[in-house]
Amino acid sequence: MNKNILLGVTGGIAIYKVVDVVSRLKKLDYNIKIIMTDSACEFVSPMTFETIGKCDVKNKMFHNNSHKVVEHIELANWADLFMIAPASANTMAKINYGIADDLLSSTALAYTKPIMFCVSMNTNMLNNPATQKNIKDLKEKEHLIIDSNNGMLACNTKGDGRLKEPWEIVEEVEKYFCKKDLKGKKILITAGATVERIDPVRYITNDSSGKMGYSIAKKAFMRGADVTIISGKTTAESPYGVENIKVDSAIEMKEKIESCIENYDCLIMAAAVSDFKVKNRKELKIKKQDGIDSLELEENPDILKSLIKKENQIFIGFAAETNNLLENARKKLDKKNLDYIVLNDVSKKDIGFNSEYNKVSVISKDNILDIERDTKLNIADRILDLIK
């Protein structure tokens, strides 16, 4: 990633999560330097962070090493992002009021960009008017407050104040560094597989995991868009920070899209929608002894074909094919009144369904863009470039 992250670590039991955050950031190739307060060193030794992050860990303003550089100034100038996790009530108060009595707070005073505070503390401490005022003040100074989660705390109470999970914090970091070229855009994305019930416990579906649609949603959110997902059955983790409306059948998905599509600038139809549904689904479970001679199917409505596209709306569809790829995709492009269709060969075992990778061709009426095998997240970026 070649971005420099200065991590300030304060004293709090949630520090154990920050060790995982450092590990995840390192795997994403961020350059890391760490400042630990004295209290933080009481919970976890600097050596732990040095080993996990393979980085320098600083603690003291005054030490026995070289003072040829003014350390808190050098660190502030080096960082592309200064993140404090866990951000304690004490540290936020000091930074809000400009107190600089240790290396972390002195560096914060010298840092000229927004600081990212990952809040973590006891619920009563968080709700104290003094803390709430400090958080309000820091927001007004354009610092970034990553609010805590609600959950079980170390003090055996349940409430707000639980540090975000490591993957959530890393998502916030990635979002911070992502270009915001889609800010102001409203994007509706479908993902996953629709399910058609045979009876209350059985259904027919397909192999879609939802990873492609969720990757597009994740990247669109990071690039500043207002994103909503309508998703069927998935095995992928729902994108952080994105509204996810769950549906079951193709009919349900169609109704949800129709109810809100006029409010969006773009529809990206990445879901694998069942072409057929069971004609006479049973309201009660079919007993084994009763048997079933055949399963009668009927066509589901074509969602894209039925939608009325407003002027300036962009519709992007997907074509999962196993043969006659280009011919079938072009037919769908015309038939469904799409601006683009993303073609992928789902007969390949190492791409497409249930894989982190894909290889696609983006087809418009007058052009074909071939995207070689890459992660679905990277391909998502290429697709989103179409709607800037």
Side-chain angles (χ1 to χ4, degrees):
M1 175 55 70
N2 293 323
K3 292 289 187 180
N4 299 330
I5 297 178
L6 179 62
L7 174 62
V9 183
T10 72
I13 193 64
I15 196 171
Y16 76 93
K17 289 185 178 179
V18 183
V19 176
D20 190 9
V21 170
V22 170
S23 176
R24 289 168 183 259
L25 291 174
K26 197 65 186 173
K27 288 173 183 175
L28 293 171
D29 292 329
Y30 287 101
N31 304 315
I32 303 170
K33 290 184 180 180
I34 298 174
I35 303 173
M36 297 181 70
T37 63
D38 288 341
S39 296
C41 294
E42 295 292 326
F43 286 91
V44 173
S45 75
M47 184 182 296
T48 300
F49 281 109
E50 287 175 349
T51 303
I52 297 297
K54 296 179 174 52
C55 62
D56 293 334
V57 177
K58 310 290 185 180
N59 170 238
K60 301 292 186 184
M61 282 283 288
F62 308 105
H63 48 73
N64 294 326
N65 297 326
S66 171
H67 284 276
K68 291 179 181 178
V69 298
V70 182
E71 205 157 51
H72 61 288
I73 304 300
E74 289 293 316
L75 287 168
N77 290 337
W78 173 84
D80 295 308
L81 169 64
F82 189 3
M83 176 172 69
I84 300 177
S88 66
N90 181 58
T91 296
M92 287 193 293
K94 288 201 296 183
I95 293 173
N96 183 38
Y97 284 96
I99 296 171
D101 61 354
D102 59 9
L103 182 57
L104 194 155
S105 55
S106 296
T107 305
L109 200 60
Y111 189 68
T112 58
K113 290 175 279 191
I115 298 172
M116 182 180 288
F117 294 88
C118 300
V119 177
S120 174
M121 66 192 73
N122 166 268
T123 305
N124 291 338
M125 295 175 69
L126 177 61
N127 291 334
N128 187 288
T131 304
Q132 288 299 308
K133 182 181 185 304
N134 288 329
I135 291 174
K136 180 175 180 289
D137 289 349
L138 290 168
K139 286 181 178 178
E140 289 176 353
K141 294 171 184 175
E142 298 188 347
H143 293 296
L144 307 172
I145 305 298
I146 308 304
D147 290 325
S148 58
N149 288 339
N150 184 287
M152 187 59 65
L153 305 177
C155 51
N156 290 323
T157 60
K158 187 175 181 181
D160 293 330
R162 183 180 174 88
L163 183 69
K164 288 269 193 236
E165 295 305 313
W167 69 268
E168 293 177 308
I169 294 173
V170 172
E171 292 269 313
E172 290 287 355
V173 172
E174 289 194 270
K175 180 186 175 186
Y176 177 83
F177 286 120
C178 198
K179 57 187 177 182
K180 301 298 185 292
D181 56 341
L182 296 179
K183 193 172 181 61
K185 296 284 187 183
K186 289 177 64 71
I187 302 176
L188 182 64
I189 299 167
T190 68
T194 57
V195 166
E196 304 300 336
R197 292 282 167 185
I198 299 171
D199 64 18
V201 298
R202 301 179 181 91
Y203 57 80
I204 57 175
T205 188
N206 57 68
D207 286 330
S208 176
S209 63
K211 289 179 180 178
M212 190 70 247
Y214 280 10
S215 294
I216 297 170
K218 175 180 177 177
K219 282 293 188 175
F221 174 71
M222 286 183 174
R223 288 170 65 168
D226 181 355
V227 183
T228 301
I229 305 173
I230 299 175
S231 63
K233 179 179 67 68
T234 64
T235 57
E237 190 173 73
S238 183
Y240 170 69
V242 176
E243 181 184 10
N244 192 346
I245 301 169
K246 300 293 286 186
V247 297
D248 203 26
S249 67
I251 295 291
E252 288 177 28
M253 182 169 285
K254 178 176 180 290
E255 290 172 349
K256 286 291 184 183
I257 294 171
E258 288 177 342
S259 69
C260 64
I261 186 59
E262 67 176 356
N263 300 318
Y264 289 86
D265 301 300
C266 178
L267 169 65
I268 302 178
M269 195 78 179
V273 181
S274 300
D275 292 321
F276 301 95
K277 62 180 178 179
V278 179
K279 188 170 184 179
N280 295 308
R281 62 171 287 183
K282 304 299 182 184
E283 296 303 318
L284 301 176
K285 179 184 175 182
I286 301 169
K287 297 297 184 182
K288 183 177 180 180
Q289 60 267 26
D290 295 337
I292 182 168
D293 296 326
S294 63
L295 197 61
E296 190 175 357
L297 304 177
E298 61 181 346
E299 278 194 47
N300 266 320
D302 189 319
I303 297 176
L304 278 168
K305 190 177 178 182
S306 67
L307 295 176
I308 298 174
K309 186 168 67 169
K310 295 192 308 181
E311 186 178 359
N312 297 325
Q313 275 187 324
I314 296 175
F315 282 9
I316 301 174
F318 273 69
E321 302 291 344
T322 58
N323 64 297
N324 299 327
L325 307 183
L326 193 56
E327 178 185 350
N328 289 335
R330 283 193 180 281
K331 286 180 180 177
K332 288 182 179 179
L333 180 74
D334 294 334
K335 179 182 176 183
K336 298 173 186 286
N337 192 29
L338 298 172
D339 297 282
Y340 303 94
I341 192 160
V342 182
L343 167 65
N344 62 299
D345 184 352
V346 293
S347 67
K348 305 293 185 183
K349 298 299 181 185
D350 60 338
I351 59 173
F353 287 153
N354 293 297
S355 173
E356 299 295 336
Y357 293 85
N358 213 343
K359 176 183 177 182
V360 304
S361 295
V362 181
I363 303 166
S364 64
K365 288 179 172 59
D366 53 9
N367 191 37
I368 298 177
L369 171 65
D370 292 319
I371 302 176
E372 292 303 312
R373 186 178 186 273
D374 204 343
T375 65
K376 288 181 175 178
L377 280 171
N378 287 339
I379 290 173
D381 262 334
R382 300 287 298 277
I383 293 170
L384 290 167
D385 286 343
L386 301 169
I387 62 174
K388 287 192 296 184

